[in-house]
Amino acid sequence: MSHVTAVSFSPTGGSQKGALSIARELDPNCSFLDLTLQPPAAREPFGPTDLVVFGAPVYSGRLPSPAAARFSMLRGQNTPCIVTVTYGNRDFDDALLELAQLVTPLGFRPIAAAALVAQHTYGEIAVGRPDQADLEQNVLFAQQVRQKLDQGGTTPPAIPGNYPYREGGAGAFHPRTSEACVHCGTCVRECPVGAIDAEDPSRIDAAHCLSCFRCIKVCPTKAKNMDTPAYRTFAAAFSLKLRERRDNLYLL
Ligand SMILES: Cc1cc2nc3c(=O)[nH]c(=O)nc-3n(C[C@H](O)[C@H](O)[C@H](O)COP(=O)(O)O)c2cc1C
């Protein structure tokens, strides 16, 4: 294997952490292709001796559509890959299967897969995850993948999920903007889908907003928020419902 590349779409960083922790264990000099803010630049296909670690979040049991669209622009040449999705302690439903089936016709060959838990975007769910224990498990998994590759293993992992996939979609929470906004433009630049108006950042294009809350996370003055009674009620109930810790799933 010549070179490992982690490729992720990760508005709040959970999927990136997962993919990178696996890629770095496989190759401390791995490359990183971050597709959160833009599609990939034109590039040569990955080769048969490369290894790609894909990472994307689960949105409503599916891949977020920009993640699918941006990954679709990459090509492999019978390139082994590890597919990972990261979810917020509810379920990953069809997203891992969708990712494997998305990249296969592009020339990638899934040799391992993982569904990893990270803090949920909403409420207080799986706070602090991936934690130390998660990252240690990722390292062990990477070592097992290395072993499989060294032994010439090519069997694809059996990935749970249904096809046709369940109905996906972005969330319906579109962040608000308080008077603390200083029009610095951070949220405009950092929105994965360019949904925030550059002239008036309080205007969010609801048709494109993913409800990923990246703008809330990056806002330096905490002006971006989801501080509404409806959201607070939902978040409290959802957090209660999903309080039981779920385990990562590793498939070889
Ligand atoms: C619109 C939306 C839908 C989501 N749907 C699910 C879901 O179906 N199951 C789940 O467990 N987590 C779900 N989550 C939580 C994310 O998968 C989780 O927070 C993930 O870590 C986000 O990845 P990122 O940090 O790489 O952006 C959803 C989050 C958002 C914003």
Side-chain angles (χ1 to χ4, degrees):
M1 188 203 312
S2 67
H3 191 65
V4 177
T5 303
V7 177
S8 69
F9 174 87
S10 184
T12 53
S15 313
Q16 174 179 327
K17 266 188 204 151
L20 269 177
S21 66
I22 294 165
R24 287 200 176 117
E25 177 61 23
L26 284 158
D27 177 0
N29 298 315
C30 64
S31 305
F32 175 46
L33 185 55
D34 184 359
L35 302 184
T36 308
L37 297 184
Q38 71 272 308
R43 53 171 296 144
E44 293 294 304
F46 290 96
T49 59
D50 287 323
L51 174 67
V52 175
V53 184
F54 287 101
V58 176
Y59 280 11
S60 309
R62 297 282 306 276
L63 294 181
S65 51
R70 291 172 195 180
F71 289 173
S72 294
M73 297 172 75
L74 298 170
R75 293 290 178 275
Q77 291 169 324
N78 202 25
T79 306
C81 74
I82 304 172
V83 285
T84 75
V85 293
T86 295
Y87 70 105
N89 206 53
R90 185 191 67 75
D91 207 314
F92 59 94
D93 297 302
D94 302 331
L96 191 56
L97 183 65
E98 182 183 7
L99 179 55
Q101 293 185 337
L102 175 85
V103 299
T104 302
L106 305 174
F108 297 95
R109 182 165 52 81
I111 52 151
L116 309 169
V117 178
Q119 179 161 349
H120 203 293
T121 314
Y122 307 142
E124 298 284 311
I125 301 161
V127 175
R129 293 186 74 185
D131 55 21
Q132 199 52 35
D134 292 315
L135 296 174
E136 282 168 15
Q137 287 177 14
N138 290 354
V139 165
L140 281 178
F141 170 62
Q143 291 167 355
Q144 288 170 335
V145 176
R146 156 77 63 207
Q147 240 174 29
K148 179 173 176 173
L149 282 167
D150 287 349
Q151 291 164 358
T154 53
T155 335
I159 299 178
N162 295 301
Y163 185 84
Y165 311 127
R166 58 181 267 149
E167 183 104 8
F173 298 117
H174 309 306
R176 309 297 169 96
T177 308
S178 78
E179 284 168 3
C181 175
V182 293
H183 296 253
C184 67
T186 305
C187 59
V188 175
R189 287 190 299 276
E190 293 284 330
C191 175
V193 291
I196 303 176
D197 192 301
E199 297 296 312
D200 176 4
S202 70
R203 290 172 54 133
I204 294 187
D205 176 355
H208 287 102
C209 172
L210 297 174
S211 307
C212 71
F213 287 13
R214 183 178 170 93
C215 55
I216 297 179
K217 202 168 171 176
V218 299
C219 177
T221 61
K222 299 196 178 356
K224 279 275 181 282
N225 69 85
M226 200 61 239
D227 205 7
T228 65
Y231 173 74
R232 275 201 299 272
T233 305
F234 160 79
F238 200 46
S239 303
L240 200 61
K241 190 170 160 205
L242 299 182
R243 65 188 181 282
E244 208 163 300
R245 184 182 175 100
R246 292 205 59 179
D247 289 326
N248 302 311
L249 175 71
Y250 299 99
L251 303 164
L252 282 157

